[in-house]
């Protein structure tokens, strides 16, 4: 069986992406965010999670990403969010930082 890549998302996750990109630390203007969102939307499969999870208690909005991973049957969830990364795994989904994910995909970065 061939590996496949799926980028599942949901409208609230896209909205969170826009909100976070607006943080001053990223230095991205609203005009620069719009094409990033367009690119993300073109690569994503938009889902409507059917299951609600209550795993992350410090920031319950982070549960949305676990719900998307569950619905999308994801093997990996990539995030820098500490509450998610600290879980390390949710059911069958490994939770990796972007750097760890890149290293796991490419022997050149190991």
């Amino acid at each position: 069986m061939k590996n496949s890549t799926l980028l599942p998302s949901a409208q609230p996750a896209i909205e969170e992406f826009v909100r976070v990109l607006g943080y001053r630390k990223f230095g991205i203007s609203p005009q620069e965010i719009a094409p990033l969102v367009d690119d993300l939307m073109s690569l994503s499969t938009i889902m409507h999670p059917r299951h609600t999870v209550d795993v992350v208690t410090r920031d319950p909005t982070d549960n949305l990403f676990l719900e998307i991973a569950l619905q999308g049957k994801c093997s990996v969830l990539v995030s820098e969010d500490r509450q998610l990364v600290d879980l390390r795994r949710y059911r069958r989904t490994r939770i990796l930082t972007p750097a760890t994910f890149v290293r796991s995909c490419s022997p050149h970065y190991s």
Side-chain angles (χ1 to χ4, degrees), residues 6 15 22 28 33 46 48 90 96 100-101 105 109:
L6 171 68
E15 292 165 8
I28 302 174
I33 292 173
I46 301 300
H48 304 282
Y90 177 69
L96 304 175
T100 303
F101 176 71
C105 292
Y109 294 103

Side-chain angles (χ1 to χ4, degrees), residues 5 12 19-20 22 28 30 36 39 42 46 56-57 67 72 76 83 108:
T5 302
R19 186 183 73 77
V20 169
I28 302 174
L36 294 173
D39 288 345
S42 72
I46 301 300
V56 180
T57 56
E67 293 164 6
V76 177
Q83 285 76 248
H108 302 290

Side-chain angles (χ1 to χ4, degrees), residues 64-97:
L64 167 66
F65 299 97
L66 298 175
E67 293 164 6
I68 293 168
L70 179 64
Q71 180 77 23
K73 298 179 181 161
C74 298
S75 59
V76 177
L77 169 63
V78 179
S79 178
E80 282 196 349
D81 187 284
R82 186 54 36 206
Q83 285 76 248
L84 291 172
V85 173
D86 285 349
L87 291 173
R88 299 182 64 192
R89 178 176 291 279
Y90 177 69
R91 295 189 183 182
R92 294 183 176 169
T93 304
R94 292 181 333 165
I95 303 170
L96 304 175
T97 64

Side-chain angles (χ1 to χ4, degrees), residues 30-57:
Q31 295 80 12
E32 294 170 306
I33 292 173
L36 294 173
V37 172
D38 291 342
D39 288 345
L40 178 63
M41 293 292 291
S42 72
L43 297 169
S44 297
T45 300
I46 301 300
M47 323 200 129
H48 304 282
R50 293 180 291 215
H51 304 284
T52 301
V53 301
D54 187 24
V55 175
V56 180
T57 56

